[in-house]
Amino acid sequence: MTSGGRTPVRVGVFGLLGSGNLGNDGSLEAVLGHLRAEHPEAAVDALCGGPEVVTARYRIPATRLHWYRGEYRTASRAGAIAGKGLGKLVDVVRTAAWVRRHDVVIVPGMGVLEATLPLRPWGFPYSLFLLCASGRLFGTRVALVSVGAAEIADRPTRALVRWSARLAAYRSYRDALSRDAMRAMGVDTTRDEVYPDLAFALPTPPASAPSDPTAPTGPVCVGVMDFHGGNDDRARAGEIHRRYLDGTTRFVRTLVEEGRAVRLLTGDACDASVVAAILDAVDSPLVSSAEAASLADLMKETAAADTVVATRFHNLICALKVGTPTLALSYAAKSDALMERMGLGAYCHPAREVDADRLLEQFRALEKHAAEVRRTLAERNRDATRQLQHQFTALTAALFPPTGHDLDPHHAPTSRKAP
């Protein structure tokens, strides 16, 4: 009980959290910051991919998302296939039991309604469907908060994602493209709002003074990714990866030949192989790699740079948030939409077809207009902060309603049924 005699609201957070993806964890951090500031009485725990990491880093109890520990390894032997199949059945019961213990479950940001990277329907889409279906069954309010979405061609994945969205009690999106995608897939988005990505709500480190904006000579951050294309590119994944790696390596080599220091950034543990390949190909003391463990670390790195060229979505957000001129190696429409929203739509380059010469032209044009770009980013970041304040206000109204009020069936369903 709280000091006022009321039972604390039981809040769950759900997703591939603590699994090595810095963007996912940054979204969780933003939501936890809001809950601790505005709802300190709430009892919060997680159902997630890396429970040990989440508990150690964020000081909340956490449960493993999947019963079968080999969930994300390819199952080729009969025993592994049987274990994974059994795990899917066990997870129905585990997820339902976990959801039933909560009043509210929040899915914090992330691209949970998209398949812009390789994804199987029986992986996370199945887990998300179990969550949302359990929420509807037990009257637990499930909120998809500032999430990413994209139209999905694969029919089983599309069906699971569509039904997950329909069953959620609250939905908001991180860009208009996401909302349009869900509408195109048959979800009624009439009441759904668009807000900036949750990472824009994180604290911003102090900005470093850039070098001479008329002739930048300072460090360049290059955010890399273990990129093999998306769900529809599996047949040419190897070709896409080679082209991406070759083009990015040529770009880094040219910067080094011009005397520029290059700092390689990642956003997921799997990106380390790309960093190693570039360091091996460009053997120079001017090239180094960052050991970032959070979006805060990434923001410090990008704040210290004159310019950033990045692939991963949350690498881009970190650079844009600290006001550093940024060029996107764009692998999905969400990156283009983000850059357009921040006033840098002209500075996008396709990650599937990296052309080092063209990339260098865009990079030099960006540095030429660095002072103007910094002013634009300062204005757009102020807008993002204001919009996220509205997001959190709307979330509170939807998920933490005053007792005894009539609630909106879409944005604030009635309280959880007693077990």
Side-chain angles (χ1 to χ4, degrees), residues 68-277:
Y68 181 61
R69 290 177 175 264
E71 173 64 29
Y72 295 108
R73 295 194 295 269
T74 300
S76 54
R77 295 184 178 179
I81 293 171
K84 185 171 284 192
L86 177 60
K88 297 303 176 187
L89 297 176
V90 174
D91 285 344
V92 173
V93 179
R94 293 177 70 253
T95 303
W98 182 82
V99 169
R100 192 176 184 182
R101 295 197 300 267
H102 296 82
D103 302 293
V104 171
V105 174
I106 296 173
V107 181
M110 305 178 284
V112 297
L113 302 177
E114 64 182 48
T116 50
L117 296 177
L119 185 69
R120 297 296 191 190
W122 55 82
F124 188 78
Y126 174 76
S127 299
L128 184 65
F129 173 75
L130 291 182
L131 171 79
C132 295
S134 298
R136 179 62 65 94
L137 177 64
F138 296 116
T140 299
R141 299 183 289 276
V142 175
L144 309 180
V145 182
S146 196
V147 297
E151 281 200 67
I152 298 170
D154 179 71
R155 293 180 69 179
T157 305
R158 181 185 179 99
L160 288 169
V161 165
R162 179 174 63 243
W163 276 106
S164 296
R166 285 175 173 174
L167 291 169
Y170 175 91
R171 297 181 299 268
S172 65
Y173 306 98
R174 65 188 178 193
D175 52 52
L177 284 175
S178 295
R179 182 171 61 182
D180 292 345
M182 294 314 297
R183 183 184 300 121
M185 288 197 291
V187 176
D188 181 3
T189 61
T190 307
R191 307 290 298 279
D192 300 351
E193 298 292 341
V194 172
Y195 299 100
D197 189 273
L198 290 171
F200 280 103
L202 295 173
T204 306
S208 302
S211 63
D212 180 0
T214 61
T217 57
V220 178
C221 281
V222 177
V224 301
M225 180 177 178
D226 185 26
F227 180 60
H228 295 77
N231 222 34
D232 299 330
D233 298 317
R234 292 178 183 272
R236 57 191 195 102
E239 173 195 342
I240 289 172
H241 181 68
R242 283 191 297 274
R243 185 162 186 171
Y244 171 79
L245 182 57
D246 290 349
T248 305
T249 301
R250 280 190 58 203
F251 175 72
V252 170
R253 183 181 290 115
T254 301
L255 293 180
V256 168
E257 289 170 353
E258 294 175 355
R260 300 292 292 271
V262 176
R263 188 82 161 151
L264 300 177
L265 308 179
T266 62
D268 195 292
C270 67
D271 300 332
S273 61
V274 178
V275 170

